[in-house]
Structure formats: C-alpha cells, structure tokens
Amino acid sequence: MTRTITPRLRTLVLLFLAVTGALLAGAGPASAHAALTGSDPSQGVVVTKAPDQVSLTFSENVSMNNDSIRVLDPKGKRVDLAKPDNLSGTTYGVQLKSGLGKGTYTVAWQVVSADSHPVAGAFTFSVGAPSRTVASVGDQEAGGGVVGWLYGFGRYMSYAGYIVLVGGAAFVLACWQRGSGVRAMQRLVVGGWLTLTAATLWLLLLRGSYTTSGSVGDIFDLNLLGQVLQTKTGAALVSRLLLLAAAALFIAVLFGAYDKREDEEKRDLTFGLAIGGTVVAAGLAASWAMAEHASTGLQPGIAMPVDVIHLLAVAAWLGGLTALLVALYRAPADTPVESTAVRRFSRVAFGSVLALVATGIYQSWRQLGSWSAFTDTAYGELLLVKIGLVALLVGIASISRRWTGRLADAAVTEPETAEEAQQEAAEEEAAQEKETVKASAATKEASVHAAESGSGVSAVSGGSEKTTSAGDDPERAAQLARQQSAMDTARQKRLRDSDPHRFGLRRSVLAEAGVAVALLAVTTVLTQTEPGRTEQDAKAATAASSSSSTSSSSSGALTLDMSFDTGGKDGKGVVRVDLDPAAVGSNEMHVYVQRPNGRAFDIPEVKVAFTLDAKKLGPIPVNPDHITTGHWAANGVQIPIAGDWKVSVTVRTSDIDQVTVSKNAQIG
C-alpha cells in the first residue's frame, strides 16, 4: 500500500512547488498600495523659477526615511536637504538647495504604505526649459527582484505553517482526540509550528532589504533590522514569535500529558486547551490583521476582527483537511481514524465555509467597492480566481461528505466483519495447534520405537531436551511475538484498506488538498496586490488632477492621457502627451510613459502624429527625444491652424509588439 501512497504525496508536493513558483514568479514586485495622486511641481511641468521644496501627495499615509524622496539635478547629483516631512495629511515634502540652475530635475521616491508594502516611482520637472539629464533611477521596483521573491515565498510558508499548526491541533482536539497519541499527527502539527517560526524569522530578516534597497547584501544589515523593529510590521512579527512560544507549550501539553489522562481529567483539560488554543490562534491571526490590508482603508475597526475570523476559518477548514489526509494515509492500523471523527470534521468544515463566505463578502466589498473592479483591477481578477477555487473546493468537499455518510453506514457492519475476522483467526490458530499436537505425537511415537530397538536413545533424548530448551528460550518467544504482532497489524491494515468507502474518502480528500495548495498560493499573491478600491480611487484622483490642470491652465496647455496594450509582455500602460501652449504656431511637447500602477518605464520607441481630418491635413509626424526614464520631449512642434486635431501616439514595447492610440483635442 505504501508504494501507491508515496507517488500521490509526491505529486501533491510537486503541485505545491509548481503553483508556488508560478504565482510568486508571475507576481513580481508587490503592486502599489499607496498611490501617488499629486505633486508640486507636477510631473512634466516647466517652471520659470526653481521651487524651494518638492511635495508629494499619496492616497494614504506612508512611512518614510532619509532617502524616501530624492531630487536629482541634470548631472545626477542630489539637491534635496534633510529628511522628508509630513506637511499635512497624506502630503509629504522635502526642502531643496537654493540657487538651482535651469534644466530637467528628477524626483525619485520610495515609501512604505500603511498596509506594509513598499512602493516607488519617479517623475521629472524642468526649471526654465527641459534639458538632457544623466540622472537615472531605472524602474523603481520596490519589493521586486530576488529579495521580493524570497519575501513572497516566506509569506506563503508563514500562511501554510499557521494553517497546518492551528487546523491540525483543532482537528485533534475537536474531532479525533485519539490522534494525540499518533506519531504522524504529532509530526504534522509540530511541522506547522516549525514552519511558521522559521518563516517569521525569515521575514523579519528580509524586511529591511525588502522595503529599501532590495539588495541581497543588505539582508544581514543589523542597522536595517533595528529600523524594522521600530515599525508596525516589525512589531507584528515579534509579537508572532512571542505567541509561538505559547503555542509550543500548548503543543507539549496536547501531545504529552493530554493522552495519558483519565477521561474525567481529559474533559477538563480539553476545555482548558480549547480556550487557550483559541486565544493563541486568534492572536497569531491578529499579527497579520494589524499590519496588512485590514489595518488601513475603510472601517479598520471592523475589518481587523473580521480578518481574524477569516483566518481562523481558513485554518480550521484547510488545516483540518490536511490533518484528515494524514490520518487517512498514515494512521497506524490499530488506531485508524474513526467515522465519527470524520463526521465531526465534516460539521467543522461546514461551519468554517459559512464563516468564510460571510467574512469574504465583507472583505470583497471593502477592498473592491464596485462591480467593475472585478474586471478592471488586478485585485479583482485574482479574487475571481480565488472564488472559483473555493467553489471547486466546496464541490469536492460535497463528494467527501457523501463518502463520509457511506463510511458511517458501513460502520454498522464493521463489528460483524471484525467478529468474522476474529473467528477466522481463531480457526487458523486451532488448526495450527492441531498440527502441532500431531507432530508432537509423531515425535513421541518415534522415540518409543527407538527405545525399544535399543538405538538412538541418547540422540532422541538430547534432541528432546534441545527442543524443550528452544521452546523455553525467551529471545525466541519475543521474536515470535513480534512476528505475530506484525501479522496482526498487517491483517488489520488489509481489513481497513479493503473498505471501498474509506478508499473513496481518501481520494476525494487528496483532491481537496491539491486544490487547497493552489488556493493558498492565490491568497498569498492577493495579499500583496493593491486593493481594487484603492487602485480605482488613485486613477480617479490622477485623472481629476490631469483634467484640472488642463482646464485651468491660463496658457492653454493641453494634457492627454491614453491607455495602451501592445499585447506582448509588459505591454500595458498609460501614455501622457503634454502640449504647451497648445496653440497655433510653435509648441513644446512632452510624452510620458507609465505602467498601470503609475511607475515610469522605458520602451524602445514613441512616435506622435497630428491629424486634422476636417481640413484633410496631416498626419504631421513628431519624433520626440528621450530625456529620462519614461520621458520624451520635442521643441518647436508646429500646429499650422486651429481645429479639432487627432493626436496619435505609436507605442512600441518590443521588436514586434506595437500599438497606436489616439484622442481628439481642440488646439488653437
């Protein structure tokens, strides 16, 4: 039987690694959770006089350090002073050196949002007139690279460890108390504790590099570790470690003194363990709720308790499912998981699913805010995948419930089957004894015959004495007892495994566990993705800012934002065209290319064309010069006459991926 089990478990492990790798590799850096909604000077603006400071406004409160806002002159030298200050609300500013010359300045920023995720970006403004700049900040991939992948893997393992630890212990305590003496169950729960502890230490060590430089060399920087301990996330991780110490005591009692107590003492101890275990499990769940999505945004006072309940329900369902899988496959033959334990878990799982649905609906409303966010945001799309996996898991669970019912019905006939097996064993034993008696009688007859013939007496006597001593040999008796015990165990295991209902339950639970692995991976990526409500609010604020700056400009400057999708890898984004003064004659044009999350990034080619269809004029091509990351500019763009011009932008993101987007605007 072991030969058939091992490939299945190996397949489940491979699925775990494949799904984890695919999702974490595809996730890349954590999506922006705090979005830049405005700045002064604004992106791409040309000012006549150098400003005294640069201010940035975000969609939520952020954490900053001395290097969170850097302002670089055209030669790439820093011109900002001191640490950024919180000017008001969600607006932060940094003072600039006096006497700044003309040219294009680059503002690079990297902050930590209120829900613990690092975000970054860059933009430019010019003093007097645009110029070339050697300042290069690249694509600010906060939370990306090797460190970002390692941090994401640590998050996955911490969730997995928590689910196995809490769900496995709850399964033993609430459904199968005999399992406290089963070695496989002990290893499972202890393994969950070790995984969560190691992952927490891992995250604490990576956190400093993850939120700042993203360099592998900074992982062991003790100064960064000291800074992390002063943050909300650092405090949550330390609290989790302290709670894990209490969890270790809980495990020691559950798998130590608990199994040796009498029934009455065990009932009292069960109540105490249930209360204490629930408190510790809720505290561990709160270490996530207090530092991530639930702690910021809409209704945090309600969202954090709801998030704790959600995590507890996930652990009770998926962790209990893992424990049931181990019990079905690894429990000893003399301590099989009973049908009553399976029925108890079925009820626990049903209650957990109801709690998940209720808390999930609230979380979805809070994080999305509108139906359109399901399809218009990355968070909504991932949430749809999660909902689909949960539905699939519930469907497979319903099959498991049917097998559980059949297993319970089969339990009525089990005593009769066991009695028949005992009767067969007794008959076999009687037959063996009968054969032994016959052999003994034959030996005695041979001995008498040898004595009468006067030969072989001493040999027979010696042989008889040797046989007698062999029968009294304690080592031989112990060996025979072990063989008999092994035969009895094998017989019980064959009897247990021959039950088709138990076999069917094993298969369905194994399928549930496979889907649960994928579900946990999607959930981990979801916690690193910007909530749909935040993403849409940031887009609306950016659009309003662009519209306001366009309509209120006294010089008639024009700003057009156009989304594009070339269809290839990294092919989605937004292109912005600024035309000043948007009048007949010579104009200054700036083109900015950004990712959907607002980060500036470079592409191989950008071309612009102006067409006036009413006069059959154009297209008038313009090839802007590359200034800095995500910024192109052209001077002397000639608009011959006033009218409703179509502004077309051709964006090429690779050798073969290209698209042209356009908008109409009144110029002149």
Side-chain angles (χ1 to χ4, degrees):
M1 191 67 184
T2 304
R3 294 179 179 176
T4 61
I5 293 173
T6 303
R8 293 173 187 165
L9 295 180
R10 187 184 301 118
T11 301
L12 188 59
V13 172
L14 291 176
L15 175 64
F16 165 83
L17 295 175
V19 172
T20 302
L23 286 172
L24 293 180
S31 301
H33 291 240
L36 182 68
T37 58
S39 65
D40 184 18
S42 59
Q43 175 172 303
V45 73
V46 179
V47 297
T48 57
K49 180 183 177 181
D52 296 327
Q53 70 175 8
V54 170
S55 64
L56 307 178
T57 301
F58 296 92
S59 58
E60 62 182 45
N61 291 323
V62 297
S63 298
M64 292 195 170
N65 56 38
N66 292 336
D67 295 324
S68 290
I69 301 178
R70 294 179 296 133
V71 183
L72 310 176
D73 66 11
K75 295 181 180 180
K77 295 182 179 180
R78 290 186 65 166
V79 294
D80 55 280
L81 300 172
K83 180 181 179 180
D85 295 321
N86 181 215
L87 302 181
S88 63
T90 58
T91 300
Y92 303 81
V94 63
Q95 297 294 318
L96 302 182
K97 295 179 180 179
S98 59
L100 297 182
K102 295 183 178 181
T104 296
Y105 290 79
T106 301
V107 180
W109 53 272
Q110 179 168 325
V111 299
V112 179
S113 60
D115 58 2
S116 80
H117 298 280
V119 290
F123 65 90
T124 61
F125 69 91
S126 301
V127 177
S131 68
R132 291 192 175 276
T133 175
V134 299
S136 177
V137 295
D139 186 8
Q140 298 278 322
E141 292 190 353
V146 175
V147 172
W149 190 94
L150 292 173
Y151 195 85
F153 181 75
R155 288 171 60 86
Y156 181 95
M157 296 307 297
S158 65
Y159 281 123
Y162 174 79
I163 286 173
V164 171
L165 168 63
V166 174
F171 178 82
V172 171
L173 201 59
C175 304
W176 191 38
Q177 295 181 3
R178 289 183 64 194
S180 62
V182 174
R183 183 64 61 86
M185 298 302 297
Q186 297 172 2
R187 290 175 177 172
L188 176 71
V189 176
V190 172
W193 184 89
L194 290 173
T195 300
L196 179 55
T197 303
T200 302
L201 291 170
W202 178 253
L203 293 174
L204 198 59
L205 196 62
L206 287 170
R207 181 71 187 175
S209 176
Y210 173 70
T211 57
T212 55
S213 65
S215 171
V216 176
D218 290 338
I219 292 177
F220 300 100
D221 189 333
L222 295 181
N223 291 328
L224 286 177
L225 180 60
Q227 295 175 17
V228 167
L229 294 176
Q230 300 176 24
T231 64
K232 180 173 67 173
T233 302
L237 292 173
V238 172
S239 299
R240 191 180 303 168
L241 289 174
L242 294 176
L243 287 167
L244 282 169
L249 179 61
F250 171 88
I251 293 172
V253 175
L254 179 62
F255 295 118
Y258 180 77
D259 189 52
K260 301 175 182 178
R261 297 298 179 98
E262 298 295 334
D263 291 342
E264 186 173 348
E265 293 180 342
K266 183 175 286 189
R267 280 195 297 269
D268 295 336
L269 189 55
T270 299
F271 180 78
L273 285 174
I275 297 298
T278 301
V279 171
V280 172
L284 289 170
S287 68
W288 277 283
M290 291 188 301
E292 298 190 352
H293 285 167
S295 64
T296 185
L298 187 67
Q299 300 178 346
I302 299 175
M304 287 190 287
V306 168
D307 198 47
V308 169
I309 295 173
H310 191 81
L311 282 172
L312 288 173
V314 169
W317 184 19
L318 301 187
L321 185 69
T322 305
L324 177 60
L325 183 68
V326 171
L328 287 170
Y329 277 104
R330 296 300 185 189
D334 57 348
T335 316
V337 59
E338 305 92 347
S339 58
T340 53
V342 180
R343 288 200 304 274
R344 290 192 195 105
F345 173 70
S346 182
R347 290 192 291 269
V348 170
F350 181 74
S352 299
V353 170
L354 292 180
L356 282 173
V357 171
T359 56
I361 290 174
Y362 172 78
Q363 288 179 329
S364 299
W365 167 79
R366 180 176 178 272
Q367 302 291 10
L368 292 177
S370 66
W371 292 106
S372 61
F374 272 110
T375 55
D376 294 345
T377 65
Y379 188 93
E381 293 171 352
L382 277 172
L383 187 58
L384 287 175
V385 174
K386 180 180 177 180
I387 291 172
L389 288 173
V390 170
L392 177 60
L393 196 57
V394 170
I396 301 175
S398 65
I399 298 175
S400 297
R401 283 177 66 88
R402 286 201 294 269
W403 282 118
T404 300
R406 295 173 184 175
L407 189 68
D409 294 337
V412 177
T413 62
E414 281 180 3
E416 181 180 353
T417 304
E419 184 179 348
E420 291 176 354
Q422 291 177 1
Q423 183 177 356
E424 291 177 0
E427 291 176 355
E428 291 179 2
E429 185 177 354
Q432 291 177 358
E433 290 179 358
K434 189 174 181 180
E435 292 295 331
T436 303
V437 170
K438 289 182 178 179
S440 177
T443 303
K444 289 181 180 180
E445 184 178 352
S447 300
V448 171
H449 179 71
E452 291 176 351
S453 60
S455 62
V457 176
S458 60
V460 172
S461 176
S464 177
E465 290 175 0
K466 186 180 292 186
T467 303
T468 302
S469 62
D472 295 335
D473 185 2
E475 182 178 350
R476 177 61 176 165
Q479 183 180 4
L480 291 174
R482 288 194 298 271
Q483 292 176 351
Q484 185 63 38
S485 176
M487 291 173 60
D488 293 341
T489 300
R491 187 183 301 110
Q492 292 176 9
K493 190 174 182 181
R494 284 197 303 271
L495 180 63
R496 182 193 67 185
D497 295 342
S498 64
D499 182 2
H501 307 303
R502 186 177 294 271
F503 179 77
L505 181 61
R506 282 182 173 185
R507 297 287 295 272
S508 62
V509 171
L510 184 63
E512 284 186 76
V515 177
V517 168
L519 176 62
L520 182 58
V522 172
T523 301
T524 303
V525 177
L526 196 63
T527 61
Q528 299 181 152
T529 305
E530 179 183 8
R533 184 188 292 269
T534 305
E535 182 178 341
Q536 289 191 323
D537 289 348
K539 288 180 179 178
T542 302
S545 175
S546 300
S547 175
S548 175
S549 63
T550 300
S551 60
S552 63
S553 175
S554 59
S555 64
L558 176 71
T559 298
L560 297 175
D561 286 335
M562 292 169 271
S563 298
F564 65 85
D565 184 359
T566 62
K569 181 181 179 181
D570 209 19
K572 291 185 178 182
V574 177
V575 60
R576 170 178 292 179
V577 179
D578 289 343
L579 194 66
D580 189 11
V584 175
S586 179
N587 289 265
E588 182 179 297
M589 184 183 72
H590 293 270
V591 181
Y592 302 93
V593 178
Q594 300 174 331
R595 300 187 190 278
N597 57 21
R599 297 177 186 158
F601 75 111
D602 279 336
I603 57 176
E605 185 178 27
V606 173
K607 295 186 295 185
V608 183
F610 296 85
T611 305
L612 185 60
D613 292 329
K615 300 293 184 180
K616 297 183 179 179
L617 184 62
I620 302 174
V622 179
N623 293 318
D625 296 323
H626 184 256
I627 303 299
T628 187
T629 302
H631 182 195
W632 290 258
N635 293 318
V637 177
Q638 294 294 324
I639 302 297
I641 60 175
D644 187 20
W645 287 83
K646 181 172 72 172
V647 182
S648 302
V649 183
T650 300
V651 177
R652 181 168 63 85
T653 57
S654 71
D655 292 338
I656 59 174
D657 298 315
Q658 177 176 301
V659 70
T660 299
V661 293
S662 61
K663 268 189 178 181
N664 281 27
Q666 182 66 35
I667 302 178

